Amino acid sequence: MSTGSEEHLARVCLDADSCFFVFFSFFFNPFSTVNLLDSKASQGELGWISYPAHGWEEISGVDEHYTPIHTFQVCNIMEYNQNNWLRTSWIPRKSAQKIYVELKFTLRDCNSIPLVLGTCKETFNLHYLETDEDQGALFREHQFSKIDTIAADESFTQMDLGDRILKLNTEVREVGPITRKGFYLAFQDLGACVALVSVRVYFKKCPLMVRNLAIFPDTVPMDSQSLVEVQGSCVNNSKEEDPPKMYCSTEGEWLVPIGKCLCNTGYEERGYSCQACRPGFYKSSSGSMKCSKCPPNSHTYQEGSVRCTCDNNYFRSEGDPASMACTRPPSAPRNVISVINETSVILDWSWPSDTGGRKDVTFSVVCKRCGLGRPPCEPCRGSVRFLPRPTGLSNTTVTVTDLLAHTNYTFEIEALNGVSALAPSHRQFAAVTITTNQAAPSPVTVIRKDKTSRNSVSLSWLEPERPNGIILDYEVKYYEKQEQETSYTILRSKGTNVTLSGLKPDTSYLLQIRARTAAGYGTSSRKFEFETSPDSFSISSENSQVMLIAVCSAVGIIFLTVVVYILVSRFCGQSKSKHPGEKRLNFGNGHLRLPGVRTYVDPHTYEDPSQAVHEFARELDASGIAIDKVVGAGEFGEVCSGRLKLPSKKEICVAIKTLKVGYTEEQRRDFLSEASIMGQFDHPNIIRLEGVVTRSKPVMIVTEYMENGSLDSFLRKHDAQFTVIQLVGMLRGIASGMKYLSDMGYVHRDLAARNILVNSNLVCKVSDFGLSRVLEDDPEAAYTTRGGKIPIRWTAPEAIAYRKFTSASDVWSYGIVLWEVMSYGERPYWEMSNQDVIKAVDEGYRLPPPMDCPAALYQLMLDSWQKERNNRPKFTDIVSFLDKLIRNPGSLKVIANTASRPSNLLLERSGTSDVTTFRSMGGWLDSVRTLPCRDAFGGVGYSSCDTLPKTSAEEFKKVGVTIAGPQKIVSSIRTLEAHAKNGPVPV
Ligand code: AMP
């Protein structure tokens, strides 16, 4: 056997029982040959035959190594017509298709032979004959086919034959394809002097080989030009990564290796086989890597380990990689300290001295109540709160609140890591025992007005959520609203109700309640407002004339109220009879809906947000909802119009907000948080929630349908088409909704015309509630330097600067909405950049009055935009101011001067002839001394207007007021003057 490259013998095992040796080539040109005949190697008789017998003759000799060899020679050059044949024995073909014949011979040069008589030749012929069996001595010359004429070539080596030197030629010829089972070769001499030194017959094959841990078997190439594709099989303890494949060429060479096998887990590649990892080593994945030493705190005593076993008291968690050291639970936290504040305690501790070799250490705190000397302690009940939480703490501190006053508690603080759960018996904790202090009760939050009369009122309330002890009594403090707490009355009540008597009829009172325990008074409740009933109608004889005037005034008031009511109802749809859909629904899981003090509950305070949704929103059956068309796009999905049919109710039009498919759990929570908020409100100017669909998909929020869509686009569509009274009616609705929200303690943060919806009766309703999304969702919201998104143009400076969002900042936004409404949807600050807006507002600039804007409304805008937020009016003031404007439409005829707009489109605060010079409406009126009657701007109780009729239009202009017409202003002032004395009269 010979190859064209360096070969090595290798032991290859296909499985445990069948190992063999193969030649492995380090170079990628491995091929081998298989001899079918080698005359040199044959020890015995060759059995070749000569025709005629005196032609070729066999001469036995020895080669240079004294090995016996067979040679045949013929040299009948002295005779004519030579035709001497030498035929080999029958050669079985085996699997060969193409065979090679290698001849080594010497040939005498005719010129070197003196006195040649015959025809001296310097060639001989090579023939072959295919047969399926050995034909014995039978020889028929004509059956043979000629392969080639063989001549001495130039590349020969010299052969020393004693006294003569002959040239040894080597010639190779290809024969094939051979299809029969065997063949003969024959050498024909036609008169040459030739000696056949050796004949080798062979074929080529691709030898068995291991490559990329795959075994490729012996392969005989095809006779044609094409390659033979051979699939390799993986060696023992390995598996296919990609199917291994090679091609066997016609030259018996392996070509193009593709794919490979990889040693199994627990085995590594050594030589051309996969060998098991030694004890103390492991291999956890199949691959070409070597076995690794066991990581710290682990071992293996077996061969072929996939992973190492942890030493005693060490563990490996499910997610730990095999290469990671085994670890153990941490030791207990150290240096626990507790700081008690009434019924709260701050627990603080140090990291454990031993983290067990892991980084994923967290802490958990278990609260146990150990009061009244009754060991063992019992677990704390549900009301105790942990901030941020009781388990999974990454910091070494926790605050525990809402504990019982004057009670013993034990807190067990445990450090945990990824293997703590695997080693319950190895876990250690640190414990601290505390006794809470006396604590005052929490505030009363729910107050109910039970009965009202002219001069008494009966109230009841619920006990505070956390009494922190036995409530000794309640302190009830009340005073007339307009007295502003300068004088007040205090009562004490043992129970949770009280009747206040001796009150003035038809008077507004404010009341606060606080509970008292042995630890003292708790915080007072929010202010609760109530009004006593009006005086009954009676006329005393001596005051009959005065009373007559009063009665007339009252009739006037009622008449005016009716007129205004009809107007407002017509334009803004306040009338319930016209708008049956306005009837409030009262639903929810027993959620207390009381008149008076009710506070907004942030759904974030619920541990489970879906609980909040079902607390405040009713679950609707999706089969009762029909979707008609898409009317808008919300952050979470489409907004559609449709119809809702509830059992035994009339079908109503609704808006349906859907949650798009593929939402995350967080998006679902944020989406539904709007319903949790909206569901807490019940007011004609707040968009009403009909319910939610959470138990089937798509998740939906269903609200009342607002036919005219959002206010900003509605106004832009109907530019200059409404009367001032209509606009004020809408504004009144928005203010009333906002008053309700601020009374509930809800800060909207994104009040803007785009977030107000308008129904077919022009009723405006505040919408767009939510938590984080409120601002994130708004396309107007821009990032501030402090982070967080804020709709700059609508937001008060303190909210932009340091996120101080309050009802006062909502009032600022309301001022902007007021401006948007009066300018029919103009964009506040036009195209100024957000940065310029922030700068201009900070420097005291304010938006100028919109075209034809009543001065009173512009003054309200300026008041809402007071830099000092406490100087801004409250929503309750705004509602009553607008009510008064509606009742006195004449007051709206004085138009704010727009002629003096500075070129930068904003009004300068420092101007002297402008309404913005004055801090408030009253201030401006004061400044023009006896000029226009202050009552003209709202009938807010200013002094009489004696000198007003004498005022010229020029003088009005001086102070930035345009008068609709001298006659009109005089008559409206007269009207207002009369109103100031007698109450409102119709105009
Ligand atoms: P929102 O996601 O609340 O900002 O709603 C997106 C848009 O859907 C709004 O701008 C309105 O045009 C429309 N839309 C929302 N709610 C209602 C509703 N109750 N009635 C009519 N249209 C609505």
Side-chain angles (χ1 to χ4, degrees), residues 632-634 639 655 657 687 703-706 757 768:
V639 182
K657 281 189 179 187
I687 196 81
T703 64
E704 65 181 309
Y705 184 57
M706 301 295 281
L757 292 169
D768 226 320

Side-chain angles (χ1 to χ4, degrees), residues 631-635 637 639 654-655 657 674 687 703-707 709-710 754-755 757 767-768 773 777:
V631 293
E635 189 204 359
V639 182
V654 287
K657 281 189 179 187
E674 181 168 21
I687 196 81
T703 64
E704 65 181 309
Y705 184 57
M706 301 295 281
E707 294 82 351
S710 55
R754 64 183 168 279
N755 291 331
L757 292 169
S767 84
D768 226 320
R773 72 167 210 91
D777 174 27

Side-chain angles (χ1 to χ4, degrees), residues 104 282 336 468 587 600 705 786 903 927 965 972:
K104 289 194 173 165
Y282 76 101
V336 181
N468 292 332
F587 55 79
Y600 155 74
Y705 184 57
R786 289 168 59 92
S903 58
S927 79
S972 78

Side-chain angles (χ1 to χ4, degrees), residues 735-793:
S736 170
M738 288 307 296
K739 171 183 167 347
Y740 175 81
L741 292 182
S742 72
D743 288 348
M744 289 274 289
Y746 179 81
V747 179
H748 190 291
R749 294 174 176 226
D750 198 12
L751 177 59
R754 64 183 168 279
N755 291 331
I756 304 293
L757 292 169
V758 189
N759 73 5
S760 56
N761 291 325
L762 296 194
V763 177
C764 292
K765 306 201 179 193
V766 180
S767 84
D768 226 320
F769 303 98
L771 297 168
S772 57
R773 72 167 210 91
V774 168
L775 304 175
E776 301 300 328
D777 174 27
D778 190 335
E780 280 294 348
Y783 284 99
T784 62
T785 47
R786 289 168 59 92
K789 271 173 118 187
I790 286 179
I792 301 291
R793 281 151 218 273

